[in-house]
Amino acid sequence: MASRSEASETLKVAIIGAGLGGLTLAKALLHHATEGRKVEVCLYEAWDEWKVRGGAIGLAAGKRILEKLGLKGQLAAVANQINGYQMNFHANGSKLNTLCVPGCTVMRTDLQKVLVESLPPNVVKLGHKLVEIVEGEDEVMLEFENGARASAHLVVASDGIHSFVRQKVFGVDQPEFTGFRVLYSVSSKAYRPDATVANIHWKELDGAGYGFLDLTAGQGKGRHDICVIILRSEEQVTDRWESTMVKDRLRKLAERVGSDHPVLLKAVESSEVCFDWGIYRQPLRDTWISSKGRVVLLGDAAHATAPFMGQGANMAMDDAYTLAQILRNERISLSEGMHLYETTRKAPCEAIVSKSSKVGDLHTASGMKAVFRNNFLCCFLLGDMRRVVSADPTAQKPWEESSFQKLSKKVCSICSAKGGA
């Protein structure tokens, strides 16, 4: 439990990186600011202007979190299918199954804007690229490229897969190439026949498997149609979203592997932006908490994943909401809170990271593996995805034991009593 002085002291939190995880954490810490522990928040972003990497996002857990943070109306104004959408799975031209997702699809740019505009203007510090971080027993000192200095009781690293904080504080490592590559097209011209559904098509050609995904994000003037080709790659393509490719590369691949896929061919004609994107994930860390307990990892800095379960942004937002709940609870000390955050989030996130690569294997299966997927594994895949997207991160307090934990303790207690007798 927190000491009396710790509970009454204002907790200074520095968030490094203004991605969706960092922005959600800032919003969650400041929401209902008069309740619980007093928290002072500063969010530091390296870029000197707002930029966005990425395209569309499917929000399930993230949608529930935003609604809990009072942003239901703002999200509804920019999202497609706010009350849920349908995802259809196809192989060899035949429909296999359907997944109903209790969420929405939104462009990352619009979601970022919703979160930024919900924060007080003095919270976010643009143009603050972190170049030095020194962790002490009681606080962390920060130094930025522009000469500014700051200190905080807790630093939250939400600075992405290439996290400076992770490398500096936790030791140098490199993101691992998963062996998958994605060709990703974005168009503000509507070409998909039905914006209310998303589709995944599986296809084989010359012994290789491909997955085609098409969906619509946003609405009205903010609508964008997205089309994605998932394939295996021996070449370690960059994961930098700034690496846009020429449209000809998408056209050539689409004509070769998707000549019978009308939506894909329309995507080639209509797309304004195309990416050639290598898929990487973070090596697992034994802990997300620094040695002195004053620095902690969040989102892609902790568990960057392949995108094949659509959970990257949702996991980061779930991390943020969970951590904010813990930090605002004045009965929990900072050291206890860090441990609680890690035990609550680390195992579920690492499970999704593992599953996402396995789903990538299914998307690109060929031969008998593809036959097995189409006839058997598709149902298991949908069941697993259904459990993930149905989870509500706002329904339980991290410090409250789940019914499963209570049952486990009761069973252990009974077994111990019998053993003692």
Side-chain angles (χ1 to χ4, degrees), residues 44 90 122 130 136 186 193 226 306 358 406:
Y44 299 98
H90 311 257
N122 62 331
L130 187 66
V186 182
I226 312 294
K358 292 176 182 177
K406 291 178 181 178

Side-chain angles (χ1 to χ4, degrees), residues 153-170:
H153 298 121
L154 177 68
V155 171
V156 182
S158 61
D159 48 343
I161 189 171
H162 299 285
S163 169
F164 171 82
V165 178
R166 177 178 168 122
Q167 303 300 313
K168 184 74 175 179
V169 176
F170 294 79

Side-chain angles (χ1 to χ4, degrees), residues 63 66-67 71-83 104-106 114 218-219:
K63 171 181 175 288
L66 293 174
E67 290 175 346
L71 298 175
K72 181 177 181 178
Q74 293 90 323
L75 179 62
V78 298
N80 180 38
Q81 298 305 109
I82 191 66
N83 294 317
C104 61
T105 51
V106 62
V114 165
Q219 59 172 295

Side-chain angles (χ1 to χ4, degrees), residues 272-309:
E272 295 119 5
V273 179
C274 300
F275 297 98
D276 190 355
W277 181 36
I279 305 301
Y280 292 74
R281 64 185 179 192
Q282 283 286 21
L284 298 181
R285 288 277 187 178
D286 291 336
T287 181
W288 296 352
I289 308 166
S290 63
S291 59
K292 296 179 180 177
R294 296 281 173 178
V295 182
V296 67
L297 304 176
L298 181 148
D300 280 358
H303 48 71
T305 180
F308 305 124
M309 289 188 72

Side-chain angles (χ1 to χ4, degrees), residues 5 13 17 23 55 85 94 175 182 188 199 231 270 301 309 343 376 412:
S5 60
V13 178
L23 289 167
Y85 62 97
S94 299
V182 165
S188 60
N199 297 290
L231 64 156
S270 305
M309 289 188 72
T343 55
F376 300 102
C412 289

